[in-house]
Amino acid sequence: MALLSIVLPAYNEEENIVNTAGVLSGLLEEQGIDYELLFVSDGSRDGTFSEICRAAEKNSRIRGAEFSRNFGKEAAIFAGLGMTKGNAVIVMDCDLQHPPQVIPQMWKLWQDGAEVVEGIKVSRGKESLAHKLSAGLFYRIMSRLINMDMNASSDFKLLDRKVVDVLLTLPERNTFFRALSFWVGFRTESVSYEVRERQYGKSKWSFFSLMKYAVTNATSFSTLPLQLVTVMGVIAILFSVVLFIQTLVKYLSGTAVEGFTTVIFLILIIGGFLMLSLGIIGHYIARIYEEVKGRPRYIVSRTTWEAASDTAETDKIKE
């Protein structure tokens, strides 16, 4: 019988673990789907991992791991992919904003031969104005940078085991899971869904964290920002040529005046372009530096199966 693995990255989600485990377990058992749930605590500062351990004690199909510190959602996703055993793997948010009711539809498409099933958002649900604006800006930037419509896409998707194995062989440290699932190809189907409201807790994404996420993923997946440096250089050259011609014409006609303001303006424009260009190049050099060091994407400090083993050994000693 085919096994379905579900990877659930979690950061400070102690309020959601029990509910999420119960909802998913009930749904999958009702549908007769053999499954495992794999929670990955991304260096949470609350009791997220403790709740995962409690859920694992009650249900042997639930497993979990915790990072030594916060490494980010991308690292949590790839850690989960590497620990799964299923023939197909679904990645979804731990807060159930990705509706579980869509899972049977994804499973059916996989059984019919789909190797990647993308979850496509038709509605973002109820969000604060600030979060909608920041998320909208994030997706517009990402769509332009990687030439892919990211507004409706999400991390909610099903991958066949062969696709998971391909992703795990990629040597890069700075990954962008959402775009890489498009990049690898394979036979792809899609399902639509509406984002649900959180039952517990608040979103961990702020405007600044989304912008940082956008910049990091854009530079790890696209070279377009580097091409913008060339564009800015061309604009600066054209502006300088126009200004030079204007100055020369005025000089030859005897109407030239002191251009102190123009000089300052020109210096500011070129200086701004230069500093922005250096910042873009520096960010790419930083990405190269991180890749060359070859440090692991994440460090796992604890797992539920190790914790269960330690508990069993302790009980045996007491006996």
Side-chain angles (χ1 to χ4, degrees), residues 155-197:
D155 292 324
F156 186 30
K157 57 192 66 185
L158 179 147
L159 307 175
D160 184 83
R161 170 52 56 183
K162 68 172 72 173
V163 181
V164 173
D165 291 340
V166 168
L167 290 175
L168 293 175
T169 60
L170 299 179
E172 59 204 73
R173 297 294 182 271
N174 295 289
T175 55
F176 187 21
F177 173 71
R178 191 175 305 185
L180 284 174
S181 67
F182 285 98
W183 177 83
V184 294
F186 294 98
R187 178 181 169 185
T188 303
E189 300 288 346
S190 64
V191 295
S192 59
Y193 70 93
E194 294 186 2
V195 177
R196 298 174 54 181
E197 289 187 62

Side-chain angles (χ1 to χ4, degrees), residues 201-237:
K202 296 180 180 179
S203 173
K204 309 305 183 295
W205 293 101
S206 64
F207 174 80
F208 293 106
S209 62
L210 277 171
M211 290 304 102
K212 181 181 178 181
Y213 186 63
V215 171
T216 300
N217 288 328
T219 53
S220 67
F221 197 80
S222 172
T223 59
L224 182 59
L226 281 176
Q227 298 170 27
L228 292 178
V229 174
T230 303
V231 173
M232 288 187 291
V234 172
I235 292 174
I237 291 173

Side-chain angles (χ1 to χ4, degrees), residues 108-126:
K108 180 64 167 57
L109 288 172
W110 174 76
Q111 289 179 318
D112 291 340
E115 294 166 319
V116 176
V117 181
E118 295 282 350
I120 304 298
K121 289 176 288 190
V122 295
S123 169
R124 296 194 58 85
K126 295 182 179 179

Side-chain angles (χ1 to χ4, degrees), residues 12-265:
N12 294 342
E13 296 285 1
E14 64 177 348
E15 296 175 313
N16 285 302
I17 300 299
V18 173
N19 179 61
T20 298
V23 170
L24 291 177
S25 298
L27 173 68
L28 295 169
E29 289 170 7
E30 179 184 334
Q31 295 291 324
I33 300 174
D34 192 18
Y35 70 94
E36 67 168 353
L37 305 182
L38 184 59
F39 290 89
V40 181
S41 175
D42 183 19
S44 299
R45 299 176 182 176
D46 59 3
T48 296
F49 186 69
S50 298
E51 292 298 321
I52 295 172
C53 288
R54 292 192 184 97
E57 290 174 0
K58 296 178 181 178
N59 187 342
S60 60
R61 296 173 182 267
I62 297 175
R63 298 187 296 142
E66 182 175 46
F67 288 168
S68 59
R69 65 171 178 82
N70 180 251
F71 283 90
K73 186 178 182 181
E74 295 295 314
I77 290 174
F78 275 84
L81 293 177
M83 296 176 188
T84 56
K85 303 174 182 177
N87 305 95
V89 181
I90 288 178
V91 176
M92 63 185 297
D93 288 348
C94 182
D95 54 17
L96 293 185
Q97 286 193 290
H98 295 154
Q101 291 73 20
V102 179
I103 292 176
Q105 187 180 352
M106 294 175 127
W107 180 250
K108 180 64 167 57
L109 288 172
W110 174 76
Q111 289 179 318
D112 291 340
E115 294 166 319
V116 176
V117 181
E118 295 282 350
I120 304 298
K121 289 176 288 190
V122 295
S123 169
R124 296 194 58 85
K126 295 182 179 179
E127 294 177 334
S128 66
L129 179 60
H131 191 271
K132 281 186 177 180
L133 291 175
S134 59
L137 180 58
F138 165 75
Y139 289 121
R140 280 196 294 273
I141 292 174
M142 290 305 303
S143 297
R144 291 290 181 87
L145 287 176
I146 67 177
N147 195 28
M148 188 182 299
D149 184 11
M150 301 299 297
N151 189 52
S153 67
S154 70
D155 292 324
F156 186 30
K157 57 192 66 185
L158 179 147
L159 307 175
D160 184 83
R161 170 52 56 183
K162 68 172 72 173
V163 181
V164 173
D165 291 340
V166 168
L167 290 175
L168 293 175
T169 60
L170 299 179
E172 59 204 73
R173 297 294 182 271
N174 295 289
T175 55
F176 187 21
F177 173 71
R178 191 175 305 185
L180 284 174
S181 67
F182 285 98
W183 177 83
V184 294
F186 294 98
R187 178 181 169 185
T188 303
E189 300 288 346
S190 64
V191 295
S192 59
Y193 70 93
E194 294 186 2
V195 177
R196 298 174 54 181
E197 289 187 62
R198 272 175 163 263
Q199 287 190 318
Y200 307 101
K202 296 180 180 179
S203 173
K204 309 305 183 295
W205 293 101
S206 64
F207 174 80
F208 293 106
S209 62
L210 277 171
M211 290 304 102
K212 181 181 178 181
Y213 186 63
V215 171
T216 300
N217 288 328
T219 53
S220 67
F221 197 80
S222 172
T223 59
L224 182 59
L226 281 176
Q227 298 170 27
L228 292 178
V229 174
T230 303
V231 173
M232 288 187 291
V234 172
I235 292 174
I237 291 173
L238 291 176
F239 184 79
S240 300
V241 169
V242 171
L243 189 60
F244 170 75
I245 294 173
Q246 180 191 35
T247 304
L248 182 61
V249 169
K250 286 187 175 182
Y251 176 77
L252 294 175
S253 63
T255 60
V257 295
E258 292 190 21
F260 182 75
T261 302
T262 303
V263 172
I264 294 298
F265 182 62

Side-chain angles (χ1 to χ4, degrees), residues 263-275:
V263 172
I264 294 298
F265 182 62
L266 183 60
I267 290 174
L268 289 175
I269 289 179
I270 295 178
F273 279 168
L274 285 174
M275 295 304 295

